[in-house]
Amino acid sequence: MNETAYKKISAWFLCHKIPLRILMFCGEILPLIVAAGYFILLGVEFFSYGIFDKRFLKALLIPAFVFLFVSALRSLLNFKRPYEIYNIKPIVKKETCGKSFPSRHTASVFIITMAFLSTNSWIGIICLIFGVLIGLSRIFYGVHFIRDVVSAVILSITVGIIFFV
């Protein structure tokens, strides 16, 4: 997206309160729901199988690896965010400079989705929907480019297929 597109999207959300509330819910509350679900998954795996079982270790270590890898990659590449490049104000308060690529929120929710898909497909499908909404919210907020979100999805799904399937 270019500067004009970001400005139009931002203006539209700021002029329409209900869609803005939905956007804020998708960007602020859904990540918390996914995180809570992930910790419940870890608890279930731990109490069902124990700390040294491969199901628990995979559910714990694979998302941790993706989170750390994405964090390191973001710092190393240090791509600028849309609000740094364009003359736009993000919908949410955000002052981070750089570290845009890939989106850590999106990578995290999609690797957690892959963990759920390997254990409970219905919850995995719900997380997949949440992941799409979270990724879109990051773009609509003006804090990530489409490439940041799409690369995070591809990374997490690829790692998930390799290690969870």
Side-chain angles (χ1 to χ4, degrees), residues 38-71:
Y38 174 62
F39 287 113
I40 291 169
L41 171 66
L42 287 178
V44 168
E45 295 292 315
F46 174 78
F47 288 112
S48 296
Y49 305 110
I51 195 166
F52 297 111
D53 184 83
K54 75 175 185 173
R55 289 168 284 210
F56 171 74
L57 290 173
K58 284 170 68 170
L60 176 68
L61 297 177
I62 295 167
F65 167 77
V66 168
F67 181 85
L68 293 172
F69 178 76
V70 167
S71 295

Side-chain angles (χ1 to χ4, degrees), residues 34 104-114 127 130-132 134:
V34 172
R104 192 167 47 202
H105 276 85
T106 307
S108 296
V109 74
F110 273 88
I111 196 63
I112 290 168
T113 295
M114 296 303 290
C127 281
F130 287 0
V132 169
I134 291 166

Side-chain angles (χ1 to χ4, degrees), residues 9-51:
I9 289 169
S10 181
W12 187 85
F13 275 107
L14 293 172
C15 289
H16 296 87
K17 296 302 177 193
I18 292 174
L20 179 61
R21 287 185 184 152
I22 293 169
L23 178 65
M24 298 303 285
F25 176 82
C26 291
E28 305 298 319
I29 304 302
L30 287 184
L32 297 176
I33 292 170
V34 172
Y38 174 62
F39 287 113
I40 291 169
L41 171 66
L42 287 178
V44 168
E45 295 292 315
F46 174 78
F47 288 112
S48 296
Y49 305 110
I51 195 166

Side-chain angles (χ1 to χ4, degrees), residues 66 70 73-74 100-111 114 135 138 144-159:
V66 168
V70 167
L73 186 61
R74 289 160 45 107
S100 180
F101 178 86
S103 167
R104 192 167 47 202
H105 276 85
T106 307
S108 296
V109 74
F110 273 88
I111 196 63
M114 296 303 290
R138 307 303 292 166
H144 281 290
F145 290 103
I146 293 170
R147 64 146 199 252
D148 303 336
V149 170
V150 171
S151 64
V153 171
I154 291 169
L155 173 76
S156 290
I157 289 176
T158 302
V159 169

